[in-house]
């Protein structure tokens, strides 16, 4: 499992996640795009802003179903659309970095690239491509398992660390993304 920091889990999240993974193994044989090894659950978790309320799992979820082209970076950026919770995990074309849950075999066969320091644009499309070409499809889960605290306005950010040359490192990382995707910056 991979999640963003500053996340909260809904009650019984583990039971629901395991149930969805088992549904992938049983229900989708023959229904995949990939005729491959299995599925990966992934989505952008819904927002939460207060720690003093109980989270509900039966909320709309974000299906990873769109991209936009970021011209200045020559890369696709994933976008999502809110949908009602499906009865079972729903096939989608992309994965999200905010939440990934899968069988350990998928993570061993397609590990996250440890050389993508400070990447934002390009990480999700590269991971999606690597998963798909290794035989794995992406699915939106049947409910919201975790929630993310996106709006932390006063929290420190990595780019405010004195002496950290994150811009230079990020430039090298983008070259790696372009190399693997066989894309090249225009201009």
């Amino acid at each position: 499992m991979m999640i963003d920091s500053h996340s909260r889990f809904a009650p019984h999240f583990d039971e629901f996640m395991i149930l969805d993974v088992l549904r992938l193994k049983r229900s989708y044989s023959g229904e995949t795009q990939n005729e491959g090894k299995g599925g990966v659950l992934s989505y952008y978790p819904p927002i939460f802003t207060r720690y003093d309320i109980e989270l509900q799992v039966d909320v709309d979820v974000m299906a990873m179903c769109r991209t936009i082209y970021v011209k200045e970076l020559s890369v696709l950026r994933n976008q999502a659309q809110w949908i009602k919770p499906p009865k079972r995990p729903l096939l989608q074309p992309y994965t999200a970095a905010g939440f990934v849950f899968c069988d350990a075999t998928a993570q061993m066969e397609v590990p996250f690239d440890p050389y993508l320091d400070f990447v934002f644009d390009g990480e999700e499309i590269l991971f999606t491509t690597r998963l798909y070409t290794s035989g794995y499809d992406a699915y939106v889960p049947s409910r919201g398992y975790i929630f993310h605290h996106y709006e932390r306005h006063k929290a420190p950010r990595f780019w405010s660390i004195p002496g950290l040359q994150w811009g230079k490192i990020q430039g090298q990382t983008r070259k790696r993304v372009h190399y693997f995707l066989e894309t090249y910056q225009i201009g």
Side-chain angles (χ1 to χ4, degrees):
M1 174 171 54
M2 182 194 75
I3 61 171
D4 280 339
S5 59
H6 313 288
S7 294
R8 283 184 64 198
F9 292 92
H12 308 290
F13 75 93
D14 51 346
E15 297 169 22
F16 294 126
M17 290 181 351
I18 291 168
L19 181 61
D20 271 354
V21 167
L22 292 174
R23 286 178 179 152
L24 289 179
K25 290 182 177 188
R26 283 194 305 257
S27 309
Y28 285 105
S29 23
E31 287 187 31
T32 67
Q33 301 178 107
N34 206 349
E35 298 298 324
K37 300 173 183 172
V40 172
L41 299 169
S42 187
Y43 76 125
Y44 289 143
I47 190 171
F48 81 92
T49 56
R50 294 178 44 195
Y51 287 90
D52 61 340
I53 59 170
E54 186 170 317
L55 302 172
Q56 303 298 316
V57 296
D58 294 325
V59 297
D60 289 356
V61 292
M62 294 190 96
M64 304 304 301
C65 57
R66 300 184 299 195
T67 60
I68 59 168
Y69 181 68
V70 182
K71 185 176 180 180
E72 60 273 11
L73 302 175
S74 296
V75 72
L76 293 175
R77 180 184 295 159
N78 288 356
Q79 292 194 320
Q81 180 172 332
W82 288 105
I83 63 169
K84 296 290 180 199
K87 293 188 187 305
R88 62 182 188 173
L90 183 66
L91 188 63
Q92 63 184 357
Y94 307 108
T95 58
F99 174 83
V100 176
F101 184 74
C102 56
D103 186 290
T105 306
Q107 193 61 44
M108 289 186 305
E109 289 181 17
V110 190
F112 285 97
D113 189 330
Y115 303 105
L116 294 180
D117 294 335
F118 304 119
V119 71
F120 184 78
D121 293 305
E123 172 192 25
E124 292 172 329
I125 196 70
L126 178 58
F127 186 60
T128 297
T129 302
R130 292 179 57 232
L131 279 169
Y132 184 78
T133 58
S134 297
Y136 296 94
D137 288 314
Y139 293 86
V140 64
S142 67
R143 61 193 73 224
Y145 310 125
I146 70 164
F147 295 77
H148 183 64
H149 191 25
Y150 292 96
E151 298 176 8
R152 296 172 294 106
H153 301 293
K154 295 181 182 180
R157 305 291 195 252
F158 69 85
W159 53 81
S160 65
I161 299 172
L164 180 64
Q165 298 180 356
W166 68 271
K168 180 180 177 183
I169 297 167
Q170 190 179 56
Q172 292 300 314
T173 298
R174 282 198 189 116
K175 289 179 184 177
R176 184 174 178 83
V177 170
H178 286 293
Y179 174 79
F180 284 117
L181 291 176
E182 296 183 6
T183 58
Y184 306 95
Q185 286 187 288
I186 300 169

